[in-house]
Each structure stands twice: as C-alpha cells, then as structure tokens.
Amino acid sequence: VQLQASGGGLVQAGGSLRLSCAASGTFSDISAMGWYRQALGTARELVARVPNIGTTTYADSVKGRFTASRDIAENTVYLQMNSLKPEDTAVYYCNAEREWSDDVGYHKMKYYGQGTLVTVSS
C-alpha cells in the first residue's frame, strides 16, 4: 500500500486546511484509514481514525474542530481542519490499516505515508 498525502502548508491561527490522502497498490482489504501527527520532539499521535464500519474516533485535542472522512470506493481519506491552533503544528501522516485471514491465520498491518507539514502561526 502506497499512501500519498497532500494539502499541508502554512496558515494563521483560526484558519482552515484540508488534507487529502489516496492509497494505491494491489490490495482489497483496507479496514480503516486515518491520520496521525507528530510535532517536533514528541511521539506520533492518532488524530482521527475512520473505519469501514463503525464510528470515527478523534483525539480529544481536535474534537469539534477536525473532521475526517473517507471515500471507501476510491481508497481516499480527508481531514478538514478548522479553527487551527499553533499547537496543531506538526507533520501529518496518512494511515491505512489492512486486515485479512489466510491459511496461516489472521493478519493486521498498518501503513503510513510520507507526511505533510502543517504549520499554524500565531
């Protein structure tokens, strides 16, 4: 699975950005897509996860401001970010999860894109 994210950039506090990510490759078993982020000197953290079935989950810090959505047929995921704050500054990584079963058993793998930088100025 190859993930190509776009849409990052520089924005003033209170502004908005929309990130997009498309998954490509030979697969048919993506079970969820979403976004992680990593600020300088911190660990990577989950921002939003959109499963094929079920509820989208968000980090507490972005609830009410960010909205993640998917086009399952096109294997794309989006992140609409509103009311951006300087603390949202980070590299944002698109993520995809695959789940499948075969003769060996059940498998689950996570994939990450190359990241896109979001900078929010105060």
Side-chain angles (χ1 to χ4, degrees):
V1 178
Q2 293 82 45
L3 298 167
Q4 182 67 46
S6 61
L10 173 64
V11 64
Q12 288 188 330
S16 298
L17 280 176
R18 179 177 170 86
L19 305 182
S20 301
C21 175
S24 61
T26 304
F27 54 85
S28 61
D29 45 20
I30 287 183
S31 58
M33 294 185 73
W35 296 91
Y36 284 70
R37 69 184 180 185
Q38 187 169 18
L40 193 63
T42 69
R44 190 176 296 186
E45 64 173 356
L46 174 70
V47 176
R49 179 179 181 271
V50 188
N52 288 4
I53 300 172
T55 305
T56 297
T57 56
Y58 295 92
D60 288 343
S61 59
V62 307
K63 285 180 181 177
R65 300 187 298 121
F66 291 10
T67 302
S69 60
R70 284 182 62 193
D71 183 332
I72 293 177
E74 296 295 326
N75 290 312
T76 57
V77 63
Y78 306 94
L79 185 67
Q80 178 66 43
M81 303 184 292
N82 298 327
S83 302
L84 282 160
K85 304 176 181 180
E87 51 264 44
D88 294 318
T89 294
V91 177
Y92 284 69
Y93 296 91
C94 175
N95 158 263
E97 299 174 18
R98 288 179 59 209
E99 297 182 57
W100 73 97
S101 296
D102 57 23
D103 292 342
V104 175
Y106 168 78
H107 308 275
K108 185 172 182 177
M109 289 191 66
K110 288 187 175 182
Y111 302 82
Y112 295 90
Q114 84 286 2
T116 183
L117 178 62
V118 172
T119 304
V120 184
S121 63
S122 57

